[in-house]
Amino acid sequence: MAGFGFTEAQEMLRKEVRNFAQKELAQGAKERSKQDTMPRETIKKLGDAGYLGVPIPEEYGGQGSDWVSFGITVEELAKVDFIASLIPLTPGVAYVVLQHASNELKDEYIPQTVKGEKIACFAITEPDTGSDAAAMRSKAVKDSDHYVIDGEKTSITAGFEGDYSIMFVKTDPTARARGITCFWLPLDLPGITRTRIPHTGFKATAAASIMMDGVRVPAKFRVGEEGEGFYKAMGGADFLRIGLSLMGIGLAEVSLEEAAAYAVQRNAFGKPIAQFEGVSFKIAEHATRLEAARLLCYRALYLKDQGQPHTKESSMCKWWCPVVAFDAVHDSLLIHGHVGYSEESTFEQRLRDVMGLEFADGTAQIQKIIIARELMGRVAVPY
């Protein structure tokens, strides 16, 4: 992103991803969105095309590009296949978190996620401690060269079919955030039970609860030192929130494009409904809000590329973009009338999908607390 715009390479990537999505993902995207399994074939296609490792160094099988290019990839995929646009986020999180792991873990597992050979999930949420992650109850107790893990995680995206989990548990239950430790946890270990959670949207993400009862995991799977897990999670959350935001923006952009095209060809009272300000003004307003939200996302990713702080900006993206996207998809559905409300339309599924972005990886309320803290300091934090 050179100056105020995108580089030639970034624009070329946008065109490439757009063409790939139309050729490889458009057919069957609607049907896949209603399934309850992670589309392994789609994951492999994305891996083979290099879209799961855009910002990840070449030594791990990635493209070694920038984070703005990551955002471009997510946005363009979301216009065609919403679930496909979610898939690149996890290899990114795995890379960010595993930077603090041993070379053995990095060298073996980052390439697997980048190639689409294995699925990893991010497990921090618990039934009674959603937003208050520091109050989690899952624990790990050191036992010689192993840890024994007990506890439950819930609403874990890809949790039902994932091969590994970036798992956060307490190694010091008295220390709140400073007692949380991160593990790269194989999900086929004895003592792990997974239960699928049917969702209103995000159906194909195979969300699940993960129960851990006396799970013995070798100490080599610990990421970093004990007590460092929470800060590794928060360090990875900044770009994740921006990626989720761009998923919503991409979905809303294509919805608004379709609404505009429909308004031009749909007649009422003897003329196209695009001539009625009740329709045309809505399209104009949503186009403006989406463009502003989109630019906020890319500014945040640009700051990340420059090595500058962007926590405030990522939280701004995360609370505002899903709201803007939901409103745009909602009105796009209404412009289509009963046609948009039909299950034969893509709008009803888009509306259910985009709603999930409003709380995924932190609610709007939590994001506003973070923004206030970044602006005014800890005096603005209510806990």
Side-chain angles (χ1 to χ4, degrees):
M1 198 169 184
F4 197 75
F6 298 96
T7 66
E8 182 178 352
Q10 289 165 347
E11 291 293 1
M12 287 180 60
L13 174 67
R14 184 181 297 281
K15 184 177 180 180
E16 290 171 4
V17 177
R18 185 175 297 169
N19 291 339
F20 168 86
Q22 288 295 336
K23 180 180 178 181
E24 300 291 342
L25 303 178
Q27 185 175 1
K30 179 182 172 183
E31 291 72 23
R32 288 195 300 273
S33 70
K34 299 179 184 297
Q35 297 174 355
D36 60 1
T37 58
M38 288 293 285
R40 292 271 181 168
E41 182 181 350
T42 300
I43 295 172
K44 193 64 172 64
K45 282 183 179 180
L46 291 169
D48 290 343
Y51 298 142
L52 299 186
V54 172
I56 297 174
E58 295 178 6
E59 63 185 292
Y60 298 117
Q63 293 188 23
S65 190
D66 51 71
W67 286 95
V68 168
S69 295
F70 160 82
I72 289 170
T73 303
V74 171
E75 181 189 4
E76 291 302 320
L77 290 174
K79 293 178 182 180
V80 176
D81 189 327
F82 183 75
I83 296 302
S85 72
L86 175 69
I87 296 170
L89 272 61
T90 302
V93 175
Y95 166 68
V96 169
V97 172
L98 286 178
Q99 286 306 290
H100 306 278
S102 66
N103 289 333
E104 179 185 359
L105 288 183
K106 286 189 286 190
D107 293 343
E108 181 172 359
Y109 295 110
I110 294 176
Q112 289 183 1
T113 62
V114 168
K115 294 175 183 176
E117 296 172 350
K118 299 291 183 180
I119 299 175
C121 59
F122 188 75
I124 194 167
T125 303
E126 296 191 359
D128 298 322
T129 60
S131 295
D132 187 7
M136 67 174 60
R137 299 174 183 173
S138 296
K139 62 181 182 179
V141 178
K142 188 76 180 293
D143 181 17
S144 185
D145 58 350
H146 283 68
Y147 283 86
V148 180
I149 300 179
D150 292 280
E152 179 183 4
K153 301 293 179 178
T154 192
S155 296
I156 306 304
T157 299
F160 192 76
E161 296 179 346
D163 301 294
Y164 303 96
S165 173
I166 302 165
M167 178 66 64
F168 299 90
V169 294
K170 285 282 186 72
T171 47
D172 182 355
T174 67
R176 284 188 59 80
R178 297 187 182 279
I180 297 175
T181 300
C182 178
F183 290 86
W184 180 260
L185 185 67
L187 291 176
D188 58 356
L189 292 175
I192 293 178
T193 304
R194 295 184 271 182
T195 304
R196 189 188 300 277
I197 301 176
H199 278 166
T200 300
F202 275 74
K203 290 183 176 296
T205 60
S209 64
I210 301 175
M211 291 290 299
M212 296 166 289
D213 183 10
V215 178
R216 291 183 61 83
V217 56
K220 70 176 184 178
F221 285 102
R222 189 188 70 207
V223 178
E225 300 299 322
E226 289 189 6
E228 294 181 351
F230 186 79
Y231 302 98
K232 290 177 175 51
M234 295 304 102
D238 284 345
F239 90 86
L240 180 59
R241 289 168 176 166
I242 304 165
L244 289 167
S245 300
L246 281 168
M247 286 175 60
I249 296 301
L251 192 68
E253 285 175 321
V254 70
S255 297
L256 200 63
E257 289 171 7
E258 292 173 5
Y262 183 78
V264 169
Q265 60 91 21
R266 172 76 162 116
N267 288 317
F269 303 100
K271 57 185 178 181
I273 63 173
Q275 293 187 18
F276 295 98
E277 292 174 353
V279 174
S280 64
F281 279 17
K282 279 190 178 296
I283 292 173
E285 290 164 3
H286 287 306
T288 303
R289 293 190 184 103
L290 285 171
E291 183 66 8
R294 179 174 176 268
L295 291 175
L296 176 61
C297 292
Y298 283 113
R299 169 167 165 73
L301 290 173
Y302 173 79
L303 290 173
K304 181 174 178 60
D305 279 328
Q306 302 306 307
Q308 297 183 33
H310 54 286
T311 295
K312 170 170 59 70
E313 288 79 6
S314 74
S315 286
M316 287 177 172
C317 292
K318 184 58 187 61
W319 90 257
W320 190 54
C321 294
V323 174
V324 171
F326 179 89
D327 289 345
V329 175
H330 184 206
D331 276 340
S332 295
L333 184 156
L334 294 179
I335 287 170
H336 281 77
H338 73 276
V339 173
Y341 195 56
S342 166
E343 286 192 357
E344 295 181 1
S345 162
T346 57
F347 287 104
E348 56 87 24
Q349 181 65 47
R350 288 175 183 170
L351 195 64
R352 287 188 277 117
D353 284 339
V354 77
M355 187 189 305
L357 295 174
E358 295 191 65
F359 55 84
D361 197 45
T363 64
Q365 292 79 7
I366 290 297
Q367 305 312 317
K368 292 174 186 179
I369 290 173
I370 294 171
I371 295 166
R373 181 197 69 200
E374 294 297 302
L375 291 171
M376 294 177 281
R378 292 223 34 107
V379 68
V381 178
Y383 50 85

